Structure formats: structure tokens, C-alpha cells
Amino acid sequence: MRWLDYAFYRILFFLIAGIIFSRGIELPVVTYLYSLGISFLIALFSLLIHKYSFFSKALFAVAVYCFFFFLGGILLQLSNQLSSNHFIDKQVHGEDQVISLELQQRLSSNSFNDRFYAEVFFLGSQEVSGKALVSFKRTDSLDYQVGDRLVVYEQIDVPAFARNPGDFDYRAYLKSIDVYGQIDVDPTRIWNDEKSPDKMDGLLVIRNRILNKLTASGLKERPRAMIEALVLGQRQNVDPELTKSFRDAGVIHILALSGLHVGIILLILRFLTQSILRLKYGRWIQSTVLIVLLWSFALLTGMSPSIMRAVTMFSFVAIGMNLKRKGSVYHSLTLSAFVLLIYDPRLLFQVGFQLSYMAVFSIVLIQPVLAGLWTWHNKVKDFFWSICTVTIAAQIGVAGVSLFYFHQFPGLFILGNLLLLPVLPLIIGAALLLILLLLIGLPTDWLTTALNVLLEFIMKTVANISSWESFIITDIYITWWEMILMYTVLFSLVLFLVPYFKRSKKERFYLKKPNWMLHLSLASAILWMGIRSFETYAYSEEQFLVLHQATGSAVSLSNKEQALLLTDLHVMDTTRAVNSLERLKNIENHRGKKLSIADLQSMVHYKDAQLVVIAENGVYDTSIKSANVLLSHSPKINIERLILDTHPKIIIADGSNYRHLIEAWKITCDQRNIRFLNTYEDGAVAID
């Protein structure tokens, strides 16, 4: 197959290019509208002049590509525009307000909070719109469900951004899914709540009924939570330690209903429905059955955005895999991505979208090559070999994205998947049977006992695999351009090799003369190594940073080869202090360097700069003048007296201070013309 012969490949490329351009450079919507109109008119004009001439064809192609480039740009701009009554423009920042909201989607609970996405309807008496992240402390034991309406007296906080170099930008992530606020609910500030199952749609009522039935079924807590995650997409009851063990073992897709999970299910379903192909129009019948099964699965899990996206993609793929035309699967994959990005261009920047397409593209492209390397004449062996090759292909596909976002690679992913994937259809089938028997009221003791034993064994096995920490490669950091070059090298090399694989038993593949795919792969590899080497040897910047750490203080000193982290985390409990220290150790300034850790003292010197740290006791040396001052752990000081005594260059307040004190300090510093920064709003502060 000649890859550029399919027009949608080129169209999708320019659509994506336009979306990326619009994200980096925001142009007025009217500019995109004029550009779209001009591109359309040029394309129309090119069809009217010498329809089949080289010039008209080239002009038409350029105009069409420009049209989709500007279409991608304007779609992203329009997606990011907020309604005129959005709460972000109506709220009073930093002040409590009466907020009316409805819980619409439940998220996985973490160690501290139960979390929902909620639609905000009123601020006081003012009607508004927009989504916010709502959190309830797990210790408060508030049993709210999707569909409940609440009236609370709280403030809508702005989600945290990447305050330290290399931190995850949570604000940008929430913005990409239309969530612009964060509400932490205190139970004493809930004025009214309304549990309204009559207002819920039928699907939600059925799912809640199933959850209640499962709770009373006799399943143990952990197996029940795993079934809820697998079959219903409800991960709020899954133990965070269980999630960590599945992630470390390389089998997190078993718990997370992602594109990788749906892709593996599609391949298993195709294997189970091969007999349909013997019928007349068997390919079309099998495609229909696969699509119906995938969407039935999506309905059962609650039609979350990630599942809808994944099932939409694999609906196209299911058809493409059964068409006789060469390359039809790639065509279907391209068309599904085009449809999804037209629907919501922000999907391009979501981790789930990237993982889904990288996984399925790798499965479709690389798995047949791997499977063809060895042929088994035993169905059982061939089944396990297929699972192994699917796992390797998918893991190759998601490796770059996973390293970029999560910075780790599970070395035992093949072992974990070989153990779990063969029994995954059995688990899902048994869980569906259990739900059916519970709904119609038949005895289920035998089935719940079997599921308890099987799932407990699986969880214990996964925990054992994840305990081999030496096989978990962590702290791998790559940049976005390294990720792109990595995929360019990989896929170009595979596309070079694919046409030369033969189905002969004697000769697995043969090579002809190199083509441009091999040249692209080699050029990308050379560029990757060259830029990496340049950054390694040319980087010599020395940095003195006051970092942001909630309820703690941290200062980083770094140069080309070494880094020193100074911390004061004494008010934290042991667990939180350990977690915070690990996060601070892995900021961008410390990666790949020899890192030392020490306690933060009252004075920090680095080169010609000095930082005076004033802790909670409020003690400082009045003889030190014109220094940089760090206020730590809400010191009891008179800020005006401090300014008069020390004449500071700059005053910094970090995340260990109370917000109301920071606001008061800022007012005083503004009045005294002293530069004041706080890490809540400004992130890490560089000391000159």
C-alpha cells in the first residue's frame, strides 16, 4: 500500500497541524473565517480552469490542505470559547458564594477524596453554566451519587497549574475537558441536597441498581470493586494500592476502560466470531455484530467520554478489518480520528486519545509482523502467541506517550498480560452472568464464590509481579520532540520492513533496496542523537529557585552536573512528607544530575545571591540588608517593620503560608513599592 495515496491521510495531517498551530498561536476567529473562505474559493476556481492540468491539480490540492488547516484552527478556537454566562466570569474570586450544582460524572477516588465532575447552575440567584471538579473528603463518608443536586456555600478555586518546572499542568488538563473550577466541599457548608433518582435517565437507574445488587451479592470488597471497574467502568471503590500494583505490573488497562482495553476486546471478539465469516455476507454480519457488542459494552459502562471515544474509533476499525481492500484498517483508523477531531479538536491533546490511537495503530501495523515470525500448529500455543504479540505491539505503541506523561516503563508487562488476558473474557462473561442472575433473582452463591477465589488470586498474582521493583524502570523523562522523533524512527522502520515480509515457511522476510522510509528513520535517529548531545553538552545554566510546596518550603540550587534540594517539611505527616520529597526530587532542574538533599536553613547563599528564610518564629537578622526574603510557615512578623529593617530586594511567600496572610503581605508590599511574589500564583520563583 502506498501510504500517501489515501487522501484522508494528508487531510488528517493538515487538520492536526492546524489544531496544533491554533493551540500555540491564537488568531482571531475572523482571520480563520476569511482564510477558510479564500481557501474554498481557490479550490473551486481550480476546478473551473483546465480541470486536469498539473497546475489546477496542484492549486486544488494546496487549497484543500489550507482549508483543513484553517478548519482545525477555528474548531479549536470555537471549542475553547466559553458561553456568555459561564461561572468563570461571574464568580467573585477568593470569596464564598452560594453555589447550586448537579453531580454528573463520578471519577476514581484517590486516597483522600471522592470526586465528581458537576454542572454549576447558579451562583447565588444568578443563573450560570460550566463544569467544575467537586471533591468530598472520604473521611466525611458522604454517600452522594451521580444525579444528586446540592446547594453549597463555598468558593470556586482555580485549578493548580504547573508551579514547579516539569510538574503536571492540572489546570490545562481540566481546561481541555471544559472543567474550569474546583470546589472542595465541607459537609458543614452543604445547605441543601436533593437525591433525585426520578430525574436520572434509565441507564443511570439501571446501573445504580446493578451496583446495589453487587454490594449485596456476597462478593468481597476488592473483587466487587474490580468487577465494577471492569464491567461498569466505576473505579471509585478500587483500592489505590490495587491500582498501583496493576500499573507497576504493566496491566493497568485491565482496570482502566481505555482505548487499549477496547482494542484488545475487539481482537478477542473477532477471534470468537470467526465462524460468522462462513456465512453469506459474513464479513458485514461480523462487523455489525462487533459494533453492536462494542456499543453494548459502552452503554453498560455508562458511556463515559473516554469509552465513547474508544468505541467510536474501534467501530471504524471493526469495519476496516473485515474489508477485503488492502489497507482498509488504516483507512478506517484515519477516518475515525478525523471524525473525532472534527467533533472535538481538543481530544488531540488528551492522554487517552493519544494512547488509544498509538496502541491500536501499533497493533494493526506491528502485530502481524511479530505474529508472522513464528507459526504454531497448535491452537492453544497460537492463542497465547497472539496475545503475546498483541501485548508487545501495543506496548511498543504506547511506550513513547507513557514515558512522556508517566515517566516509567513496566518491564514485566508481557508476563502480566500473558497471565491475565487469557482469563479476561472469562471474567467479563462471568461478571455479566452474575449481574443477569442478580437482576432476575436467581441464586448466585456458586458464582460469587468462584469469582471471589479467581479475582483474589489475580490480585495477589499482580501484587507479586509488581513487587519486583527492579523490573520497573522509573524516572525516565523525555521531551515532546523526543517522543515525536521516537515514533518517527519506530514507525518508519516498521513501514520499511512490512512490504518485505513473506508468508513463506522458509524465508520470513527479504529486503530490497532501501526506500525513503528507511531514510526517514535514519535521519530521525541522527537528529534525535544530535539534539540530545547538544543539550547535554551545551546546557550550563545555573539556577536558584524557591519552589512551591503546599504546607512546606523548598529551595533548589542547580548547575549542569549537580543539584542541591533544601527542604523544610516538618509540619507534614511522614507519608505526605515522603511523597512531597519524591515529587520535589524529580522536578526538571534535578533530572540527570547528582542530587543532594539537606535541611533548609535561615540563610542560603549561592554565588552572589543570598536568601533570608524567616520561619514561623519570625526571627531574622536585622543587620542583613538588600537581600531576598522568603516567608515560610506563616511567620509572626510585622511586614512593615521587616521592610524598614532589611530593605529587601524581593519578598517571596511560598506554599507553607496561610492565604489570608499572603494577601495582607501583598497589600503592604505594594504600598511600600517592594516586589512581592507568592508561589501559589507565580509558581517557582527564580532568584537572580
Side-chain angles (χ1 to χ4, degrees):
M1 180 184 67
R2 294 179 60 188
W3 284 86
L4 295 180
D5 284 349
Y6 189 45
F8 259 106
Y9 295 155
R10 299 188 292 272
I11 289 174
L12 179 63
F13 174 82
F14 283 98
L15 181 74
I16 291 174
I19 294 172
I20 295 174
F21 175 84
S22 182
R23 182 181 174 94
I25 302 175
E26 293 189 10
L27 299 178
V29 173
V30 65
T31 302
Y32 284 108
L33 288 174
Y34 281 128
S35 302
L36 280 172
I38 293 171
S39 301
F40 178 78
L41 291 176
I42 293 175
L44 186 62
F45 173 75
S46 66
L47 293 176
L48 300 177
I49 57 164
H50 301 291
K51 185 175 181 180
Y52 298 106
S53 69
F54 173 80
F55 174 76
S56 63
K57 287 181 179 179
L59 185 62
F60 176 79
V62 172
V64 169
Y65 299 150
C66 288
F67 178 86
F68 282 100
F69 177 87
F70 294 121
L71 179 63
I74 194 172
L75 287 175
L76 184 67
Q77 293 288 352
L78 294 176
S79 298
N80 288 331
Q81 285 188 351
L82 304 179
S83 61
S84 58
N85 66 333
H86 198 281
F87 68 76
I88 198 170
D89 297 320
K90 308 295 182 181
Q91 64 176 331
V92 180
H93 293 282
E95 292 187 11
D96 295 332
Q97 296 174 274
V98 179
I99 307 169
S100 300
L101 54 89
E102 180 180 303
L103 306 179
Q104 293 190 337
Q105 181 184 347
R106 185 159 194 165
L107 307 177
S108 300
S109 300
N110 57 31
S111 302
F112 306 101
N113 299 311
D114 293 322
R115 303 176 301 158
F116 295 82
Y117 290 140
E119 184 72 24
V120 179
F121 294 107
F122 286 94
L123 286 180
S125 60
Q126 188 174 17
E127 186 174 358
V128 296
S129 64
K131 289 197 298 184
L133 174 65
V134 178
S135 300
F136 304 94
K137 289 182 180 178
R138 300 189 72 177
T139 53
D140 292 332
S141 301
L142 299 175
D143 188 25
Y144 288 115
Q145 303 294 332
V146 171
D148 293 347
R149 288 200 170 202
L150 289 79
V151 179
V152 301
Y153 186 65
E154 292 283 3
Q155 66 180 27
I156 303 179
D157 295 319
V158 178
F161 62 99
R163 293 189 172 108
N164 294 324
D167 277 356
F168 176 67
D169 196 337
Y170 194 47
R171 182 184 300 178
Y173 165 73
L174 290 178
K175 181 181 177 182
S176 72
I177 54 175
D178 280 335
V179 177
Y180 286 85
Q182 189 170 345
I183 305 173
D184 296 317
V185 179
D186 186 327
T188 62
R189 293 190 160 213
I190 300 176
W191 285 12
N192 187 30
D193 56 31
E194 178 184 351
K195 296 184 180 293
S196 50
D198 56 307
K199 295 183 179 180
M200 294 188 286
D201 57 56
L203 178 65
L204 187 55
V205 172
I206 294 173
R207 191 163 68 252
N208 286 342
R209 183 184 175 192
I210 292 173
L211 289 171
N212 293 332
K213 291 284 187 180
L214 286 173
T215 302
S217 66
L219 284 169
K220 295 180 181 178
E221 183 178 355
R222 280 162 43 104
R224 187 186 78 244
M226 189 171 175
I227 288 177
E228 291 173 353
L230 282 173
V231 180
L232 300 174
Q234 305 297 302
R235 297 179 59 191
Q236 62 270 17
N237 295 322
V238 177
D239 186 354
E241 285 298 319
L242 180 64
T243 301
K244 182 179 183 301
S245 65
F246 270 71
R247 183 178 64 249
D248 292 343
V251 291
I252 188 60
H253 55 271
I254 300 296
L255 290 179
L257 294 178
S258 62
L260 179 59
H261 192 77
V262 177
I264 294 173
I265 289 176
L266 172 61
L267 291 175
I268 294 174
L269 290 175
R270 287 191 80 245
F271 178 80
L272 296 175
T273 57
Q274 286 296 312
S275 58
I276 296 178
L277 297 175
R278 300 171 187 170
L279 303 175
K280 187 178 181 180
Y281 307 115
R283 293 181 179 274
W284 291 107
I285 295 174
Q286 189 196 42
S287 297
T288 303
V289 170
L290 291 174
I291 292 172
V292 170
L293 290 174
L294 287 176
W295 281 102
S296 298
F297 179 75
L299 287 169
L300 185 63
T301 59
M303 297 290 284
S304 66
S306 61
I307 292 301
M308 289 181 64
R309 179 184 67 238
V311 173
T312 299
M313 176 180 68
F314 283 103
S315 296
F316 284 95
V317 172
I319 297 173
M321 294 175 78
N322 278 339
L323 294 179
K324 293 183 179 180
R325 292 182 57 190
K326 191 177 182 181
S328 58
V329 176
Y330 303 104
H331 299 349
S332 300
L333 192 61
T334 303
L335 185 59
S336 68
F338 178 81
V339 170
L340 286 170
L341 291 177
I342 289 292
Y343 171 72
D344 186 359
R346 292 169 300 180
L347 289 173
L348 181 64
F349 307 105
Q350 293 185 11
V351 181
F353 180 88
Q354 297 170 16
L355 287 173
S356 296
Y357 273 91
M358 286 295 100
V360 71
F361 182 75
S362 298
I363 290 172
V364 174
L365 176 66
I366 302 175
Q367 193 272 339
V369 175
L370 297 176
L373 292 175
W374 193 267
T375 302
W376 297 94
H377 300 290
N378 180 292
K379 290 186 177 181
V380 175
K381 292 180 179 178
D382 189 60
F383 176 69
F384 280 97
W385 176 240
S386 297
I387 291 176
C388 185
T389 55
V390 166
T391 302
I392 295 173
Q395 201 69 43
I396 289 173
V398 303
V401 178
S402 298
L403 293 177
F404 179 70
Y405 288 106
F406 309 120
H407 318 301
Q408 73 174 42
F409 186 83
L412 294 175
F413 68 91
I414 295 179
L415 176 60
N417 282 282
L418 281 176
L419 293 174
L420 294 186
L421 290 184
V423 299
L424 181 60
L426 174 63
I427 295 172
I428 293 177
L432 291 173
L433 178 60
L434 174 64
I435 290 171
L436 178 62
L437 294 177
L438 288 172
L439 290 176
I440 62 180
L442 293 179
T444 59
D445 292 344
W446 61 276
L447 189 53
T448 55
T449 301
L451 283 170
N452 278 329
V453 173
L454 178 59
L455 294 177
E456 287 283 6
F457 173 76
I458 287 173
M459 288 183 282
K460 184 177 180 181
T461 301
V462 171
N464 287 334
I465 294 174
S466 65
S467 66
W468 299 341
E469 296 182 357
S470 58
F471 291 94
I472 304 171
I473 306 171
T474 59
D475 299 333
I476 305 175
Y477 296 91
I478 62 174
T479 60
W480 62 269
W481 62 262
E482 286 181 297
M483 179 179 66
I484 292 174
L485 289 176
M486 180 188 300
Y487 281 122
T488 304
V489 171
L490 171 66
F491 290 136
S492 298
L493 184 60
V494 173
L495 290 173
F496 164 68
L497 293 175
V498 164
Y500 308 129
F501 274 78
K502 301 185 68 176
R503 298 303 177 187
S504 167
K505 295 181 181 179
K506 296 181 179 179
E507 189 177 24
R508 288 299 166 197
F509 69 92
Y510 68 99
L511 296 177
K512 294 182 179 179
K513 63 180 180 180
N515 60 21
W516 69 276
M517 282 293 179
L518 179 61
H519 300 155
L520 178 60
S521 179
L522 293 175
S524 300
I526 293 171
L527 180 62
W528 183 3
M529 291 185 291
I531 298 178
R532 189 74 170 176
S533 299
F534 175 80
E535 287 189 342
T536 300
Y537 292 102
Y539 180 81
S540 60
E541 182 179 357
E542 297 179 336
Q543 288 192 304
F544 185 177
L545 294 178
V546 175
L547 304 177
H548 176 80
Q549 172 57 54
T551 68
S553 297
V555 173
S556 171
L557 312 173
S558 62
N559 56 28
K560 179 180 177 180
E561 298 177 348
Q562 296 179 324
L564 173 63
L565 175 62
L566 307 173
T567 62
D568 181 0
L569 310 176
H570 73 276
V571 300
M572 298 183 185
D573 59 64
T574 303
T575 301
R576 187 173 182 184
V578 169
N579 292 336
S580 297
L581 185 60
E582 284 301 312
R583 183 179 61 82
L584 292 170
K585 286 164 60 177
N586 290 306
I587 68 168
E588 190 174 281
N589 300 58
H590 300 158
R591 297 169 191 167
K593 301 174 183 177
K594 183 180 179 181
L595 177 65
S596 303
I597 301 174
D599 293 332
L600 181 62
Q601 303 298 323
S602 59
M603 176 67 72
V604 180
H605 289 278
Y606 189 62
K607 302 295 182 178
D608 296 328
Q610 58 182 355
L611 178 70
V612 176
V613 182
I614 303 178
E616 59 259 58
N617 57 18
V619 176
Y620 58 91
D621 188 348
T622 57
S623 64
I624 300 176
K625 309 294 183 183
S626 300
N628 304 288
V629 175
L630 171 61
L631 303 179
S632 172
H633 294 89
S634 304
K636 299 177 181 179
I637 59 168
N638 183 313
I639 193 71
E640 290 193 21
R641 172 68 63 183
L642 171 67
I643 294 172
L644 292 173
D645 287 342
T646 63
H647 305 289
K649 290 182 179 178
I650 183 174
I651 295 179
I652 305 165
D654 63 16
S656 65
N657 298 286
Y658 295 125
R659 293 288 190 98
H660 69 276
L661 289 178
I662 292 176
E663 293 170 2
W665 292 336
K666 178 175 173 51
I667 292 173
T668 303
C669 288
D670 289 344
Q671 292 173 346
R672 295 286 184 174
N673 292 321
I674 298 296
R675 189 182 178 201
F676 180 85
L677 296 173
N678 80 83
T679 60
Y680 283 108
E681 296 180 0
D682 302 295
V685 177
I687 305 297
D688 294 334

